[in-house]
Amino acid sequence: MSELTATVRSLVSHLYTMTASPHEPTLLVADEYPPRQYFVLTDAGKPVFTTLRDEDSVEVASSIGVMQALISVFLDDRDKIRSINTGSCRITFLLRQPLYYVCVSSWGEPESVVSNLTSVVL
């Protein structure tokens, strides 16, 4: 299980660094929360859609690879991964084969809200 924990920590830290920008001005109250990130991938791990437009495709592909690996670990155990909570970041998974929907949010909303928002992408 420590391998899974290390993988989750790696994914979360990678997603944090993808949204952080050292050149951003001081945030205003309205800009307190970074935008949610949405990913859609196939059950084969191929990226279909992402809200990250300006990012390096290698970084996006590696994040999707880690997400696919996490989903696979749970599916192999005949279980479903619904969300990962770490600090203020929540990664929510919605599995609708053949597509998997993932939302990364640091807004602090409940899992049900993020799951509903992710299902809107459907």
Side-chain angles (χ1 to χ4, degrees):
M1 196 58 130
S2 64
E3 191 174 313
L4 181 60
T5 303
T7 304
V8 169
R9 286 185 182 158
S10 170
L11 174 64
V12 170
S13 81
H14 182 69
L15 290 172
Y16 271 141
T17 59
M18 288 173 62
T19 58
S21 174
H23 306 294
E24 289 290 321
T26 305
L27 295 176
L28 302 173
V29 175
D31 298 326
E32 185 175 336
Y33 300 104
R36 292 181 190 98
Q37 300 171 12
Y38 293 95
F39 299 88
V40 179
L41 56 145
T42 66
D43 56 2
K46 303 291 184 189
V48 174
F49 172 80
T50 179
T51 55
L52 299 174
R53 296 286 179 218
D54 298 332
E55 299 300 324
D56 182 21
S57 61
V58 173
E59 290 181 10
V60 172
S62 64
S63 294
I64 288 178
V66 172
M67 291 175 200
Q68 177 63 33
L70 288 170
I71 292 168
S72 299
V73 167
F74 280 85
L75 290 178
D76 287 347
D77 291 339
R78 299 187 191 276
D79 199 0
K80 282 188 178 179
I81 184 170
R82 293 189 327 176
S83 69
I84 298 171
N85 301 319
T86 173
S88 64
C89 183
R90 180 185 307 264
I91 305 170
T92 304
F93 298 85
L94 184 61
L95 310 179
R96 301 279 191 254
Q97 289 188 341
L99 298 176
Y100 301 145
Y101 304 87
V102 182
C103 176
V104 180
S105 174
S106 60
W107 290 25
E109 65 265 333
E111 177 187 330
S112 61
V113 171
V114 179
S115 186
N116 286 337
L117 288 169
T118 306
S119 67
V120 170
V121 174
L122 293 170

